Amino acid sequence: MTRGRGIRRSAALAVALGLGLSGSLVAGPAGADEKEGPSVRWGTCPEDVAAEAAPVVLECGTVPVPKDYADPDGGRIELMISRLASTDPDKRRGTLMLNPGGPGGSGLSQPAFLANRGIPSEVLDTYDVIGMDTRGIGRSAPVACGFTPEGPYFANIPPYAVDDAAVTARAKVVKKVAEQCAERDKDGVLPHLTTANTARDLDRIRAALGEERTSFLGYSYGTALGAAYASMFPERSDHIVLDSNIGDTHLDRDGMRRFALGVEQTFPDFARWAAARHDSYGLGRTSAEVRRTYFTLAERLDEKPVDGFDGGMLRQITFSFLFKEVQYSKLAQLWQTMKSGGDAKGLRTLGARSGPADQGDGTADTPPSLDNQLSVFLAVTCNDVKWPTSVDTYRKGVAEDRARYPMFGAAAANILPCAFWPYARAEKPVAIDDDGPRNILLVQNLRDVPTPHVGGKLLRQKFADRSRLVSVDDSGHGVYVYGDNPCALNTTTRYLVDGKMPKTDAFCPAG
């Protein structure tokens, strides 16, 4: 693998914001509905899921759902779900469904991931924890547009547009990408991949599990899914925790452009970290010097790429490696290598060590997984909301954000295949419903690259008195269990276990 290909795959899988069955798994009857009662028969999970979950042992099963809810008799797809069952019947409250984000993240092993990472045992006693591959992902009617790490579309975040001409050039690429997705959609699944349909799937899963209500813990895009479920089925929602919020029930152009705001707000944490280690990495003795190093390196690579590694890729990798402080050392090493004009051998070695395992999302580092994740991201994002179709609109937005957010604005505002998406939108985005139980806990770091703090504030305003917002003085993507703030951990655990919602919005100081 060349350094360029290694970096491209690392970036793609980092931001793609992660299979045959054994004989004991039997799906419920194809016509099962809520009146017929539970229909999931649990069995052994596929070998790769079981291996990823170890030492935790999960059970797996399938639930049939309509491919098209507007035509419920027009064909079904099978969704695979997993379960880490409560072993304390006296404490068991019900089910806690999970979503790791994306759209496009596989969640089958997520119950085990959280257990292995140290989620409090009271939560595991209180719930059967349910993971899943949502429609289109992994083992749930997977879709694929045919993307590869070497192709022109290798990441969910558009490349940085160095000038106006770059937006025009990118428009030609993404137009072909949209056409390619339509050409490869042989089973007609792509137009039915929406947040609303996935929320309907959650309710079918709830019914198949025999539960009157379900709790939900969603991260990143999972907050949009959880917000949609709580709005569409308010009386069937129990304890809802939305962690690292994008601000609505869908990801739209404004949400994408906020990624650049997240970079500007989060980068100072890395800059301080690197400045304190200047003697080791040589990136600058102050935060301001580290920031200047970023622009110097990016602009130099714009003019003269090294081993296929250009300024846009440096910006993309920096974006993804700001997700967690644990990745700062690898980001500093990358910058150091580029600053010294690293040779191809050194770059290839670094690329091999900069893979998605660092993200902690269980995503497999294989092209089929990359293809599947990118395809689902596009389908859901493009289907959920109407996107501008004029290239001039994107050129204007890129110019605005290049000036407003110079670190990453010209990437986050760049044009997506959604501008040329060939499928008509089937329904409007799910509207937030603030008329329902007060059962939505929003948890948000003050500094977060893909979901800046404003996302939590937006959702808090929309849900009004149904919600409470816990703001955490921390940096990174993911708070509950993923982070290390005791106040946030305790507040969220109390709510999940005992239903104790903060009386007012809360602030958790740095841990």
Side-chain angles (χ1 to χ4, degrees):
M1 179 187 299
T2 67
R3 172 56 180 168
R5 289 174 58 189
I7 283 291
R8 286 160 74 100
R9 179 176 293 183
S10 298
L13 287 167
V15 301
L17 298 136
L19 306 185
L21 305 178
S22 57
S24 59
L25 175 62
V26 182
D33 59 24
E34 187 166 1
K35 295 179 180 179
E36 295 174 0
S39 62
V40 181
R41 300 180 187 178
W42 298 105
T44 305
C45 289
E47 290 184 5
D48 58 334
V49 176
E52 191 174 353
V56 173
V57 177
L58 298 176
E59 302 168 285
C60 286
T62 58
V63 176
V65 299
K67 181 173 71 173
D68 179 3
Y69 279 93
D71 182 17
D73 297 323
R76 292 188 171 238
I77 57 177
E78 299 282 333
L79 306 179
M80 181 173 285
I81 65 175
S82 63
R83 179 176 70 170
L84 179 57
S86 167
T87 58
D88 192 333
D90 293 330
K91 294 182 179 179
R92 184 186 182 278
R93 177 183 181 87
T95 58
L96 176 65
M97 295 186 187
L98 306 177
N99 186 273
S106 172
L108 277 177
S109 63
Q110 195 181 11
F113 174 81
L114 293 177
N116 289 331
R117 198 173 176 96
I119 192 170
S121 59
E122 294 124 313
V123 176
L124 301 180
D125 291 339
T126 303
Y127 298 100
D128 290 348
V129 184
I130 306 297
M132 66 192 73
D133 279 352
T134 52
R135 59 171 53 212
I137 297 168
R139 285 187 162 84
S140 297
V143 297
C145 292
F147 300 128
T148 67
E150 299 80 18
Y153 189 85
F154 60 89
N156 290 332
I157 312 303
Y160 187 91
V162 295
D163 53 27
D164 190 70
V167 182
T168 304
R170 187 63 181 174
K172 296 178 181 178
V173 172
V174 298
K175 185 175 187 295
K176 292 181 180 178
V177 167
E179 294 168 349
Q180 177 180 326
C181 287
E183 291 169 358
R184 292 178 63 95
D185 184 30
K186 304 302 182 184
D187 296 326
V189 174
L190 276 184
H192 306 297
L193 300 185
T194 66
T195 300
N197 281 339
T198 303
R200 295 178 179 111
D201 291 343
L202 294 184
D203 206 53
R204 290 292 181 111
I205 293 170
R206 173 202 59 77
L209 294 173
E211 301 288 342
E212 292 185 3
R213 298 186 297 170
T214 185
S215 294
F216 181 88
L217 169 60
Y219 296 88
S220 197
Y221 164 77
T223 65
L225 177 58
Y229 185 81
S231 296
M232 295 171 69
F233 306 99
E235 300 307 322
R236 297 178 190 172
S237 64
D238 194 11
H239 294 167
I240 306 297
V241 176
L242 307 182
D243 186 322
S244 305
N245 295 269
I246 67 174
D248 213 319
T249 62
H250 55 275
L251 180 61
D252 58 13
R253 184 165 174 254
D254 288 340
M256 288 286 294
R257 293 174 74 173
R258 282 196 291 271
F259 290 1
L261 170 64
V263 171
E264 296 286 350
Q265 293 178 338
T266 306
F267 183 82
D269 290 336
F270 169 73
R272 284 190 292 271
W273 182 96
R277 295 159 178 80
H278 174 75
D279 289 346
S280 294
Y281 294 106
L283 302 180
R285 296 186 181 279
T286 66
S287 296
E289 289 181 359
V290 174
R291 183 179 173 92
R292 284 196 293 271
T293 298
Y294 171 84
F295 289 110
T296 298
L297 287 175
E299 290 165 8
R300 179 195 304 169
L301 291 166
D302 286 337
E303 295 178 1
K304 188 178 180 180
V306 176
D307 193 36
F309 186 83
D310 61 21
M313 295 167 71
L314 176 76
R315 296 178 179 95
Q316 195 97 327
I317 284 291
T318 298
F319 167 86
S320 62
F321 275 48
L322 290 176
F323 276 41
K324 285 293 180 184
E325 184 176 337
V326 70
Q327 299 172 161
Y328 286 1
S329 59
K330 287 192 174 182
L331 179 58
Q333 184 186 26
L334 169 66
W335 283 27
Q336 184 182 39
T337 302
M338 301 310 300
K339 190 170 182 286
S340 63
D343 59 79
K345 180 179 179 181
L347 292 174
R348 283 195 295 270
T349 301
L350 182 59
R353 297 203 305 267
S354 302
D358 302 317
Q359 310 305 319
D361 61 2
T363 303
D365 185 14
T366 61
S369 175
L370 169 66
D371 186 5
N372 186 205
Q373 290 180 64
L374 297 182
S375 301
V376 172
F377 174 90
L378 271 187
V380 175
T381 303
C382 300
N383 288 333
D384 270 357
V385 64
K386 185 176 181 180
W387 286 72
T389 58
S390 169
V391 178
D392 286 340
T393 299
Y394 295 92
R395 282 198 290 257
K396 180 181 178 182
V398 165
E400 292 173 349
D401 286 6
R402 187 186 293 112
R404 181 168 52 171
Y405 306 123
M407 298 194 74
F408 203 66
N414 204 355
I415 192 166
L416 285 173
C418 297
F420 305 98
W421 199 239
Y423 301 102
R425 190 179 51 164
E427 57 185 319
K428 293 181 179 180
V430 178
I432 295 291
D433 186 356
D434 62 1
D435 183 15
R438 182 186 298 172
N439 64 344
I440 300 168
L441 184 67
L442 310 170
V443 187
Q444 198 90 13
N445 279 333
L446 294 183
R447 301 171 300 284
D448 182 347
V449 174
T451 56
H453 186 255
V454 67
K457 294 172 68 176
L458 287 170
L459 211 53
R460 173 69 173 90
Q461 293 169 359
K462 293 169 185 174
F463 271 119
D465 202 45
R466 286 193 67 188
S467 65
R468 291 291 183 266
L469 172 62
V470 179
S471 300
V472 185
D473 186 6
D474 203 352
S475 179
H477 192 47
V479 178
Y480 187 61
V481 183
Y482 285 77
D484 192 32
N485 185 281
C487 165
L489 179 72
N490 294 337
T491 301
T492 308
T493 300
R494 276 197 303 271
Y495 176 60
L496 285 173
V497 174
D498 299 323
K500 294 182 179 179
M501 176 84 78
K503 294 182 180 179
T504 60
D505 292 345
F507 175 77
C508 286

